Amino acid sequence: MTSENASDAPVNALLKADINEELVERVKRELATISPFIADCFCLIEAPGEGVLNFDLFFRDGIFLGHSQPGPAQKGSWLFENVFVVDQPALHKLIRKVLFGATCISELKIKDVNGAERQCRVTGKPLWNANGSVVSAGILIFSEIETYRSGAKDPGGSINSPAIIDSVLGNFVITDSAGRVISFSGNAKKLLRVSADENLSGRNFLDFFSPAAKNYPIVGNEDYREFEMQLRENGSGDAWLLVCSFPVVESSASRGSNFVVLNDITSAKLSQSALVDSEEKFRALAENCPGTIFLEIDQRIVYVNSRVEEDLGFSAEEITSADFRPAQIFSDYQKIAELKAELNAKKETELFPKVQRELIIARKDGTSRRFVLSVQSMPFRGRNAYLGIMTDVTDLNLVSQRLSETRKRYWALFEAASDSIFLETLDGTVLDCNSAALNTYGYSREEMMGMNARELVPGDFNALLNSLEEELEKPGNHDRSLNVFSTGRKKDGTIFPTEVNINRLELEGEELYLVTIRDISLRRELETARKKYDNQLQQIQLLDSFTNVVSGLSNDFNNILTGIMGYADLILRDISPASPAREKARKILDAARKGGEIIQQLVTSTGKLPSNFQKSNIVKVVKELLPGLTEMLKSKGSLSLIIDDNTPEIYFDAAQIKLAIESLIKNSFEAVEENGRFVLSIVRGTRKFTGSETGYFGPPFNAGTYLEIKVGDNGGGIQVENLSRIFEPFFSTRYSNRGLGLSTVLGIVRSHRGSIFVDSKPGSGSEFTLLLPCLNEENSKEEFSSRPIRKPFPAGSVLVVDDDESVAEVLCAHLKSLGYEVFRASDGLDGIEQFKRLNRKLSLVILDLAMPGKTGVEVLQELRWLNPEMPVIICTGLYDVSQNYEQYGISAVLYKPFQLIDIEKALLRIQINK
């Protein structure tokens, strides 16, 4: 065949059976030892002329799919007559690719002797001529897929791999149970480094390798094994092979034989050895360098030499630990970021760009040193890395300072600094200062010159200054830099917190102090705000922990309640209307239903109850509540209602908002003794919170429009120490055995993505403000509306997947009463297996989310892979069913505990959405 188009004609019209006998013998010799355990059938194809194909078939044991070996004139036509018509184009394409020099794989349906279809994997491999330039023939290797999947002919499960079939035609040996070579491919000698005239047959396979090979269980192993083995020295240097051994378990082969595939990995091993040598040389050079050498990848130091302990006080293990970050030693890490940006910019013109900076670096003991940092960008193991060398130049800078006697020193050190800098004598007399010091302390330069530093510090801190002087006077401390936190006093008497750095130096033969003072008032304010935020964060974490506990308990209790309600429902259906047991069954139902309501209230406090968000005006909800609230409060006072006429419509759950308002009103009612004044207002406002405000419960957010629901009273107020705990479940200062309290309100507001602000002082009453976001219509619909439900199901068979025995029995009983044929699976794995078996018969699946082993979500993903159109109803005792599940096509959600009417509603929802 000279072109691919030439073979587009029907192949079976050009079939011949007179295959080249020399070619047949060549292939038989090549495949004689592997055919018993690699495939069921081999087909040899030859293309002697334009448009003509010659075939020869070799059935394993003379049988293939029940057919006996066809006669010589039938071999080509037999193949195409027994390949299903829909798969014949694939066979044609496979033959064309093989004869054009490609190794490829396809799956075809072939008729067995009874005419039934059988799935086979077909691997095609070209046969090249002696010099490897022309393809004149090819091999098709047939393996029945189901046979090998069941393990009937391939216990190891690995030999029927296309990669193995590709390899065995070139690089393999077969050993007997004693390890002797009984067969080998033509390329095996080359890989084993033996001459072409040597005979491998009968030789021990391990003799070709170094003595260490005796430790490898190649001979007689019963599993797939893989080893890197070194060949014996033969004058050509080190040579390594990757040896993959497969057991041969067939009646036609001797027991204990092994099929061994060989791959040359000498180059890879030599490269690995060269890399190790290179790393050793680098380490030797780095350890003898006078400076600190480090390698940084992704803001983590992965290597540093031992010099680092002398320079920075950190050990190499500390620097390279996962918790250490370069920012711990670089006081101004922004300069490092700028340095890296400059390096990255240079990459466009330089292969290994390098930059150099002089920086102050902090030691482990808190002191600072000046270093010259030279950094070079370089690739390292496929990632961008930075190789740096740090040289301590602190002493050189001190020498430079002593030699510099011009005013440049003052402008460089003083005027350019934002911190206050003083040059003082050993007794504290101020010799010079920068403008920042004058602005900070409020003195003029004339007033400051000649003052004593103690006048700038409150009296209580003079003892601290004395101890610092004693510390600096100790031998060996003259070159140290001391850092302390203190306070400063301005000219007007204002006291402010400071961070002080004191360096002792010698200038023009005189010992002096260089003192740098930084005003840290803003830092302290931020730290205070941070502590407040951390306290609120701790409360949020406590609520999250409570949420997790509630979710687990609600699921367990709902399973129990489902069984109670379900069996009671079944009793009501089975007994006669006149039976006195009907009333008892109804009471069981009522008690279980009340239990379910308690569980729902508990879940509501976590903000995880499923919500029915609808667009409406919240004023309507308040007016519905107003008569009941007025009646409740009249015994202690009156209620004032304030409503903004421009209150916008928002998306909210009316039932939950009613519960939140009622809970706040009840809280105010209990806080007032008599002559109470209660206020309920609904206004539209714009708020902004940083998250650190006292009394604020919610995340930080910028200015935005919010609907504010305020409930206020003139009661005793809330103590400051209790304000952060008022939304904790079961917390109360009034009396013991309280319920969920205000935690329910916080849960409702969180489910609406809102916040709460509490303004309260002891003796001045309290005001609770619920902040609900005013979303635009487009965003609101996207957030709160349900996604489209998938295509409905026809009535028929239902698969119920639930691990809880009582819930599953109730479900099955109800479904059978509705006329469905019901199949039940006890867990996720059982559900998947039954779904595979019943797929075409089923019209619906009801699936529990919380199951051991495979969860409902994992089962749902596999069901969607097997049948994307199958309707699925989620049955769950967890109320937080995320919309993420709906991407898999949930048709409805059935919440536990449920009754027959709830099942009917879920089924009706599917029918309505046809």
Side-chain angles (χ1 to χ4, degrees), residues 139-200:
I139 305 174
L140 301 184
I141 304 172
F142 291 78
S143 302
E144 186 181 359
I145 292 176
E146 289 301 324
T147 299
Y148 285 96
R149 283 180 180 166
S150 65
K153 297 184 180 180
D154 186 10
S158 299
I159 292 183
N160 195 31
S161 155
I164 298 302
I165 295 173
D166 243 1
S167 299
V168 298
L169 300 180
N171 313 324
F172 73 90
V173 297
I174 298 177
T175 65
D176 61 14
S177 58
R180 293 184 296 269
V181 177
I182 59 177
S183 182
F184 55 90
S185 65
N187 202 35
K189 289 184 179 182
K190 180 179 177 181
L191 292 175
L192 293 173
R193 304 304 196 270
V194 298
S195 61
D197 56 348
E198 288 188 63
N199 187 12
L200 298 183

Side-chain angles (χ1 to χ4, degrees), residues 227-272:
F227 308 99
E228 291 183 358
M229 301 173 62
Q230 185 178 16
L231 291 169
R232 287 185 178 276
E233 293 187 15
N234 56 4
S236 59
D238 289 340
W240 290 79
L241 295 181
L242 177 63
V243 179
C244 305
S245 176
F246 302 83
V248 179
V249 186
E250 287 290 334
S251 59
S252 60
S254 60
R255 183 172 182 81
S257 298
N258 290 95
F259 179 78
V260 184
V261 180
L262 309 176
N263 285 286
D264 194 338
I265 58 170
T266 302
S267 298
K269 295 293 288 187
L270 292 178
S271 298
Q272 181 180 0

Side-chain angles (χ1 to χ4, degrees), residues 472-492:
L472 290 169
E473 287 294 336
K474 290 180 180 179
N477 284 355
H478 286 195
D479 294 331
R480 285 187 57 197
S481 175
L482 294 183
N483 290 275
V484 295
F485 291 97
S486 181
T487 55
R489 181 173 58 195
K490 299 182 180 181
K491 182 178 180 179
D492 60 6

Side-chain angles (χ1 to χ4, degrees), residues 622-858:
V622 174
K623 289 183 177 180
E624 292 175 3
L625 288 173
L626 193 58
L629 297 178
T630 303
E631 180 66 23
M632 180 180 65
L633 298 176
K634 68 179 183 180
S635 62
K636 287 189 178 181
S638 60
L639 173 65
S640 299
L641 183 64
I642 303 173
I643 297 179
D644 186 353
D645 294 334
N646 297 322
T647 301
E649 290 187 339
I650 64 172
Y651 280 87
F652 66 97
D653 187 313
Q656 292 190 22
I657 293 300
K658 284 182 181 179
L659 178 59
I661 295 175
E662 288 177 341
S663 298
L664 291 177
I665 292 294
K666 290 179 181 178
N667 182 72
S668 295
F669 180 80
E670 294 179 357
V672 174
E673 298 294 336
E674 58 183 10
N675 299 324
R677 295 190 303 276
F678 306 97
V679 178
L680 173 60
S681 69
I682 303 175
V683 297
R684 180 176 184 170
T686 302
R687 290 295 189 108
K688 177 181 180 181
F689 287 96
T690 64
S692 62
E693 292 82 357
T694 301
Y696 176 70
F697 297 84
F701 61 83
N702 294 326
T705 303
Y706 286 80
L707 189 67
E708 300 181 2
I709 304 174
K710 297 184 179 181
V711 176
D713 61 67
N714 63 338
I718 303 172
Q719 298 293 329
V720 176
E721 62 270 18
N722 295 330
L723 186 59
S724 63
R725 300 188 59 196
I726 59 175
F727 291 106
E728 292 181 12
F730 310 106
F731 175 78
S732 176
T733 58
R734 299 191 181 102
Y735 51 87
S736 61
N737 298 323
R738 298 291 294 172
L740 294 173
L742 295 175
S743 64
T744 302
V745 179
L746 182 59
I748 292 173
V749 173
R750 289 172 65 186
S751 70
H752 284 71
R753 298 193 306 159
S755 306
I756 299 181
F757 181 70
V758 182
D759 185 9
S760 180
K761 294 180 182 178
S764 301
S766 303
E767 182 181 70
F768 289 76
T769 302
L770 310 186
L771 303 167
L772 304 181
C774 295
L775 304 175
N776 61 56
E777 184 173 350
E778 180 179 354
N779 290 341
S780 299
K781 287 182 178 179
E782 180 180 350
E783 289 291 333
F784 299 118
S785 64
S786 297
R787 299 188 178 184
I789 299 174
R790 287 186 172 270
K791 185 177 179 181
F793 65 94
S797 300
V798 182
L799 175 61
V800 175
V801 185
D802 198 312
D803 65 304
D804 191 282
E805 186 74 23
S806 60
V807 174
E809 287 184 1
V810 168
L811 257 176
C812 293
H814 283 328
L815 289 168
K816 288 178 181 178
S817 70
L818 295 175
Y820 289 93
E821 181 183 8
V822 182
F823 298 92
R824 192 229 164 153
S826 59
D827 55 37
L829 287 174
D830 187 22
I832 292 171
E833 291 303 319
Q834 291 205 42
F835 187 85
K836 290 178 180 178
R837 179 172 56 85
L838 302 168
N839 189 353
R840 296 183 180 179
K841 183 177 182 179
L842 293 174
S843 56
L844 173 67
V845 174
I846 299 181
L847 175 64
D848 185 23
L849 278 184
M851 292 186 293
K854 272 190 176 294
T855 65
V857 178
E858 294 172 332

Side-chain angles (χ1 to χ4, degrees), residues 29 32 34 60 67 89 106 196 214 244 290 310 361 460 539 541 561 584 589 712 823:
R29 288 195 304 272
I34 59 174
R60 177 173 179 247
H67 293 283
S106 182
K214 64 182 181 180
C244 305
E310 180 179 345
I361 297 179
D460 293 343
Q539 295 301 318
Q541 291 172 341
L561 292 174
K584 296 177 181 178
L589 272 175
F823 298 92

